[in-house]
Amino acid sequence: MQDKQLYEKGIEQADRSYAIFENILFVITLLTGYSAMTPVRLYGIPIVSLLYMLFLLVMLLLVLRKHLCTNCYYYGKWCHCGWGKLSAAIYKRNSGNQALGGKLGLLTWGTFMALPIFVMIAIVIFDKSMFMRELLYFIPFVILVIINMLMHKKDCEECKMRFTCPGSAAKT
């Protein structure tokens, strides 16, 4: 990575407690989305929820860490969510494909945030009696998604990779 690509005013390393807090919010959002979709069952198994959880865990903890984080300035460091540390524990530096990671990141974050909303709406369309139940998940889920998006933008504004990261929300 060339130094001229880095945002000079970006932070060297994020605070560990901030990274832990951000991950707690991810987990709460993930569990809220999971729980909201549990009425969709196949043979009594909440199949959509389980596939959602499995997909996100594999993508967020393994695939994106290889394709995004191994090419990142924060590889081996505490980035805003601590995933630079995680990627260094599992993969060698520059072992992933950053362009592929950008595409997979869009798919992953889109699924993370949009799928539960669509499924909650479908649940209510097919069973109006589920309206209040789904509303009790919908409101906190949407609030958590908005918080996540605002934090992401703030994190990107402080990141050394803001101009080169395919997932940056602050390229300008």
Side-chain angles (χ1 to χ4, degrees):
M1 169 184 339
Q2 298 171 359
D3 287 338
K4 66 180 179 178
Q5 294 176 332
L6 296 178
Y7 175 55
E8 292 177 22
K9 295 179 184 173
I11 61 170
E12 277 303 313
Q13 196 159 229
D15 181 49
R16 186 182 310 200
S17 61
Y18 181 84
I20 291 168
F21 172 73
E22 189 160 332
N23 279 286
I24 289 170
L25 282 179
F26 287 147
V27 169
I28 292 169
T29 307
L30 177 68
L31 292 175
T32 303
Y34 174 94
S35 299
M37 298 186 294
T38 58
V40 179
R41 293 177 178 265
L42 182 63
Y43 301 111
I45 298 168
I47 193 72
V48 175
S49 293
L50 290 173
L51 290 173
Y52 174 76
M53 180 78 73
L54 180 64
F55 171 77
L56 289 174
L57 290 175
V58 168
M59 294 303 287
L60 290 172
L61 296 176
L62 298 173
V63 176
L64 293 180
R65 299 307 55 92
K66 178 170 183 77
H67 293 295
L68 292 176
C69 298
T70 61
N71 297 293
C72 182
Y73 176 83
Y74 297 101
Y75 174 84
K77 299 179 182 182
W78 281 97
C79 61
H80 68 93
C81 55
W83 294 347
K85 281 279 196 193
L86 175 62
S87 68
I90 357 182
Y91 302 112
K92 292 180 178 163
R93 182 178 270 295
N94 299 319
S95 60
N97 179 326
Q98 192 177 35
L100 175 62
K103 292 172 187 160
L104 292 173
L106 285 173
L107 172 70
T108 302
W109 288 104
T111 301
F112 180 69
M113 296 178 186
L115 182 65
I117 292 171
F118 289 128
V119 171
M120 284 185 263
I121 292 168
I123 289 169
V124 171
I125 289 171
F126 287 103
D127 185 353
K128 305 279 188 268
S129 70
M130 298 291 279
F131 178 78
M132 284 309 295
R133 179 203 186 276
E134 292 305 309
L135 188 62
L136 292 174
Y137 284 107
F138 185 83
I139 291 170
F141 185 80
V142 169
I143 290 169
L144 288 164
V145 165
I146 291 168
I147 290 169
N148 181 287
M149 289 169 41
L150 293 172
M151 287 178 70
H152 179 72
K153 179 145 176 47
K154 179 199 146 306
D155 295 338
C156 291
E157 288 170 352
E158 299 174 346
C159 180
K160 293 254 188 211
M161 298 285 293
R162 77 181 277 177
F163 302 125
T164 58
C165 176
S168 178
K171 291 199 185 242
T172 57

